[in-house]
Amino acid sequence: MMSTIQDYTTMEKPQWCPGCGNFGLHMAVKSALSELNIPREKAVICTGIGCSGKSNHYVNCYGYEGLHGRSVPVASGVKLSNKSLTVIAEGGDGDGYGIGSAHFLHSFRRNIDMTYIVHDNAIYGLTTGQASPMTQKGMKTKSTPHGNLEIPFHPLAVAIAGGCTFVSRVFTGDLMHMKEVLKQAISHKGFALVDVLQPCVTFNKLNTFAWWQQRVYKLDSSYNPQNKTAALEKAFEESATDYAKIPIGIFYKEERPTYEEEAPQLKEKPLVEHEIAKENIQKAVEDFL
Ligand SMILES: Cc1ncc(C[n+]2csc(CCOP(=O)(O)OP(=O)(O)O)c2C)c(N)n1
Ligand code: SF4
């Protein structure tokens, strides 16, 4: 039976501020999952804490809202327990590029087959407007009243350098493009990063829809996402041009065996299907005594 966007729609209505970029992203995630015909009982969305952390409340599939910055390790555990599931991790830029940054880095080396969607609004939304790792230098926020002294993080460059096998960025002002990139990220065999330029209309008055709209442009077919050196250069384009040009699309893509494909315990079948009733665990228990 085909999946539809209605299958993924909950009775509960999203509680984000009117005009928040999360609404478009939410629609694109539901559309991508249904257009890929993934049955909702086979999809899991793990989130951290933040406005972004509420994403899975409003998608009618399995979900787990974990601790701030910990969506990637929770999602990794889910995938390793049952590799037959389609696993998505979601969180804010504070969540993933700040407090969760160690998980962010090491997930690239591991290459577990999952999609990591970062709601990149360059601010802490839920806690009402403190600077995040993506806040621009000089910007006044609740935690930087005299202007931010730190330069922003470069998630795409870090991901490319760290061994991520699918590195992309989208803009919530372009729904169709966002959905198409999400579909490719979810279909990719390996760890796929989708950095989402997602305006926080309430607490970030600098990076607005209009601000991004004037600067983003799509990578076209003349761009080769298999060239790592060119991808790194592209990832630095926004800072090199002082935000005059901000590329969106798939920056880098490579095929590499996933963790699940190489782990001997998981090769044959998902861990949850292993017959453990007859296993003698006495020795393991004694080791802990
Ligand atoms: C360990 C821990 N530290 C701090 C907090 C408080 N806190 C909750 S959400 C948040 C930041 C939210 O910003 P971001 O991750 O960018 O998500 P957004 O709300 O913008 O989607 C913080 C600092 C927390 N819940 N747990
Ligand atoms: S505070 Fe910002 S990110 Fe959070 S719901 Fe409101 S507009 Fe969206």
Side-chain angles (χ1 to χ4, degrees):
M1 209 165 69
M2 296 295 284
S3 289
T4 66
I5 196 158
Q6 282 74 29
D7 294 332
Y8 277 99
T9 301
T10 56
M11 302 273 281
E12 199 179 345
K13 297 278 169 271
Q15 296 297 309
W16 294 304
C17 309
C20 174
N22 282 337
F23 286 100
L25 174 56
H26 171 66
M27 284 306 291
V29 169
K30 290 199 301 184
S31 306
L33 285 167
S34 58
E35 285 182 23
L36 289 171
N37 205 22
I38 295 165
R40 60 187 185 81
E41 66 276 12
K42 282 285 180 191
V44 188
I45 302 179
C46 302
T47 60
I49 302 292
C51 298
S52 45
K54 296 178 188 165
S55 304
N56 56 7
H57 300 197
Y58 312 127
V59 185
N60 197 7
C61 65
Y62 286 108
Y64 187 99
E65 185 174 1
L67 297 175
H68 188 41
R70 306 294 182 258
S71 65
V72 168
V74 171
S76 304
V78 170
K79 185 70 185 183
L80 294 182
S81 307
N82 189 351
K83 65 176 183 171
S84 74
L85 299 172
T86 295
V87 179
I88 295 175
E90 280 191 54
D93 52 312
D95 191 277
Y97 303 155
I99 193 167
S101 53
H103 302 301
F104 178 70
L105 282 181
H106 295 289
S107 56
F108 306 141
R109 299 190 300 113
R110 222 163 274 139
N111 201 32
I112 293 175
D113 182 10
M114 58 190 250
T115 305
Y116 183 31
I117 301 172
V118 182
H119 299 226
D120 183 356
N121 54 17
I123 200 86
Y124 285 0
L126 189 75
T127 46
T128 72
Q130 298 80 14
S132 82
M134 296 305 289
T135 302
Q136 278 175 238
K137 187 157 193 249
M139 184 170 153
K140 290 187 178 172
T141 70
K142 277 194 183 155
S143 59
T144 58
H146 304 294
N148 187 19
L149 298 176
E150 299 171 12
I151 61 162
F153 188 58
H154 283 93
L156 304 189
V158 171
I160 294 162
C164 186
T165 54
F166 185 103
V167 182
S168 65
R169 179 162 56 199
V170 295
F171 169 48
T172 52
D174 190 335
L175 200 66
M176 290 308 283
H177 179 258
M178 181 164 47
K179 183 187 74 180
E180 288 310 320
V181 172
L182 278 169
K183 281 169 75 174
Q184 292 199 48
I186 294 168
S187 308
H188 173 72
K189 276 259 152 284
F191 191 93
L193 171 68
V194 187
D195 178 72
V196 185
L197 304 176
Q198 175 256 306
C200 167
V201 293
T202 306
F203 295 111
N204 187 338
K205 302 291 186 192
L206 172 66
N207 309 116
T208 60
F209 272 102
W211 190 92
W212 293 117
Q213 204 89 60
Q214 284 155 14
R215 290 162 172 82
V216 297
Y217 77 93
K218 283 180 222 161
L219 295 171
D220 62 21
S221 55
S222 66
Y223 176 77
N224 173 13
Q226 263 124 28
N227 182 334
K228 204 166 199 168
T229 314
L232 258 181
E233 199 173 327
K234 253 314 152 207
F236 282 116
E237 187 166 88
E238 70 190 61
S239 53
T241 62
D242 197 19
Y243 294 96
K245 289 174 79 184
I246 305 176
I248 56 172
I250 300 169
F251 285 59
Y252 184 66
K253 197 164 66 164
E254 76 174 65
E255 297 297 326
R256 205 172 77 220
T258 65
Y259 192 91
E260 312 86 278
E261 279 169 346
E262 296 203 313
Q265 306 86 335
L266 303 180
K267 265 188 184 153
E268 196 196 327
K269 55 186 174 183
L271 210 53
V272 287
E273 289 174 20
H274 286 219
E275 179 58 66
I276 56 167
K278 295 193 193 96
E279 293 290 329
N280 183 355
I281 58 164
Q282 193 56 32
K283 171 85 178 67
V285 172
E286 278 164 12
D287 285 348
F288 285 100
L289 294 177

